[in-house]
Amino acid sequence: VYEKSCYEMMEYSEIIGHYTLMGGNTIYSYGILPRAMGVEGQPGVLLLNEVDRANEGLLTSMNEVLCGRPLTLDGNGGEIIKPEKGFRFCATGNTNLLGGDQHIYTSAKRHDLSFSDRLWKAKVMYPDAETEKGILQNILPGLPETNIDLMIRIANNIRDLFMGTKDEGPELEITM
């Protein structure tokens, strides 16, 4: 997995690559996209976290690759990198690429359909109480069941207040 967290001022060269000075020589250093595509012989998953924080142009520049086409590295003499078997792209975000809402995800950007239509989306919610209980029992063995049940009840109350799932709307600006 080739992972990178996105942010507003993230540069294209961080994803694609750039020239760097090593041992007195100028060499091209591949970014995470070509490496994930398999340019160094180890294709894998490119995971961009908080993708809705990235500049719209940066993401749009990846459209051809997301359609399975080769990547052309203009900055490296026009090198063409074909995606190897095993290359995948995944991203995480909180806004479905629609920008921040309710002043919660204020740095999230709205992205156009030319990028988001190339993705399969899955909404991941908090686990149900039984699943969460199993998780807590695995990571906190020996903790009394009544404590675990109380932890889950408190967490769900906070989540409800944050997400506004009650009739009165959101009452908390942050979760814990």
Side-chain angles (χ1 to χ4, degrees), residues 60-81:
T60 303
S61 71
M62 296 173 44
N63 283 353
E64 296 302 311
V65 171
L66 295 180
C67 289
R69 295 187 187 97
L71 171 66
T72 302
L73 297 178
D74 296 327
N76 196 26
E79 180 181 6
I80 296 174
I81 300 169

Side-chain angles (χ1 to χ4, degrees), residues 36-89:
M37 291 175 70
V39 72
E40 295 175 340
Q42 296 182 13
V45 176
L46 171 58
L47 171 60
L48 293 182
N49 283 315
E50 304 295 344
V51 72
D52 44 11
R53 295 326 195 251
N55 178 292
E56 302 88 339
L58 174 69
L59 297 180
T60 303
S61 71
M62 296 173 44
N63 283 353
E64 296 302 311
V65 171
L66 295 180
C67 289
R69 295 187 187 97
L71 171 66
T72 302
L73 297 178
D74 296 327
N76 196 26
E79 180 181 6
I80 296 174
I81 300 169
K82 295 179 181 174
E84 298 290 331
K85 183 178 179 183
F87 167 64
R88 298 291 183 270
F89 174 81

